[in-house]
Amino acid sequence: GEIIRIPDNQMVVFKEGVPYLKRMDEIVDIKHHQPISFGLSVRKGLTKGFSVETGLTYTLLSSDVEMSGGNAMIDQKLHYIGIPLKLHRSIWKNNWLSVYASAGGVMEKCVSGNLETVTVTNGGNRTSENTSLDVDPLQWSVTAAAGAQVNFTSRFGLYLEPGIAYYFDDHSGVETIRKEHPFNFNLQLGLRFNVTK
């Protein structure tokens, strides 16, 4: 007869000669990729070189998760839509290019999440399983950036903003680069519509 039955998701490990059951699906390593972010925004000029901006942003957060069994990898992808509110200060501009500094905050909501688990069997066969992932809490952040905008017309341009952001803990329990590094570099590319005063 069978002496002991080991559950499918566990393995026997020996510590100082004593056998222990260890879960095979424990996370041993997470590699977070640099977020990718795009925006569509509207900026309204104020006085003395200041302007205010809002709009929509899209951000993809992706991570590779390695499990302790050694035969499974999880590809985690989270899609966020955000609403920024920023104050800009013009540094230099001409008819086709403007350089500015900005500061503000962003409220984001995860609209879709997906876990793809790829398992490699002892025979070398690969199986893939997709699971949806829900992240309900809102993600809040504060940002500061330097930006440059190329103006196609007086009302419409393409902008690039390298900057820094601090992401507050959303208490979701889902591991992302924003939890591992709340204070992070970000880079945003997008289209902007300028509204005259």
Side-chain angles (χ1 to χ4, degrees):
E2 174 174 38
I3 298 175
I4 184 171
R5 185 180 181 278
I6 301 171
D8 290 341
N9 66 340
Q10 296 187 4
M11 64 185 295
V12 176
V13 294
F14 287 88
K15 185 176 180 182
E16 297 178 355
V18 180
Y20 293 92
L21 285 177
K22 179 182 178 184
R23 289 179 61 89
M24 293 180 65
D25 55 357
E26 290 177 347
I27 294 173
V28 294
D29 188 39
I30 300 179
K31 179 184 178 185
H32 299 298
H33 300 286
Q34 182 65 32
I36 299 171
S37 188
F38 301 96
L40 185 64
S41 66
V42 177
R43 182 169 64 181
K44 180 172 176 54
L46 302 174
T47 59
K48 298 180 180 179
F50 286 94
S51 59
V52 65
E53 173 191 310
T54 188
L56 285 175
T57 61
Y58 163 77
T59 301
L60 170 64
L61 298 184
S62 63
S63 306
D64 296 327
V65 183
E66 182 182 346
M67 309 308 287
S68 59
N71 63 343
M73 288 289 294
I74 296 176
D75 183 18
Q76 175 180 287
K77 286 186 169 59
L78 301 173
H79 306 270
Y80 285 83
I81 296 295
I83 300 175
L85 183 61
K86 300 178 183 178
L87 184 67
H88 294 271
R89 176 67 167 100
S90 177
I91 296 174
W92 178 87
K93 65 178 180 178
N94 61 19
N95 288 336
W96 64 275
L97 179 67
S98 60
V99 179
Y100 58 89
S102 75
V106 185
M107 177 191 74
E108 291 176 284
K109 171 67 177 162
C110 181
V111 294
S112 176
N114 182 67
L115 296 175
E116 182 186 12
T117 305
V118 177
T119 305
V120 181
T121 63
N122 291 335
N125 295 324
R126 295 168 62 93
T127 61
S128 178
E129 179 184 352
N130 283 291
T131 308
S132 62
L133 180 64
D134 294 324
V135 182
D136 291 328
L138 295 175
Q139 172 73 73
W140 297 88
S141 62
V142 289
T143 65
Q149 177 172 322
V150 176
N151 298 307
F152 302 129
T153 70
S154 61
R155 297 285 186 92
F156 179 65
L158 176 71
Y159 69 89
L160 180 68
E161 284 183 9
I164 55 174
Y166 181 82
Y167 296 93
F168 297 97
D169 190 352
D170 64 2
H171 302 290
S172 67
V174 177
E175 288 298 323
T176 67
I177 192 172
R178 294 170 170 179
K179 276 200 173 66
E180 187 172 312
H181 303 289
F183 193 72
N184 201 1
F185 169 80
N186 62 7
L187 181 65
Q188 189 171 99
L189 177 71
L191 297 173
R192 179 178 290 127
F193 297 92
N194 300 305
V195 180
T196 55
K197 289 186 282 186

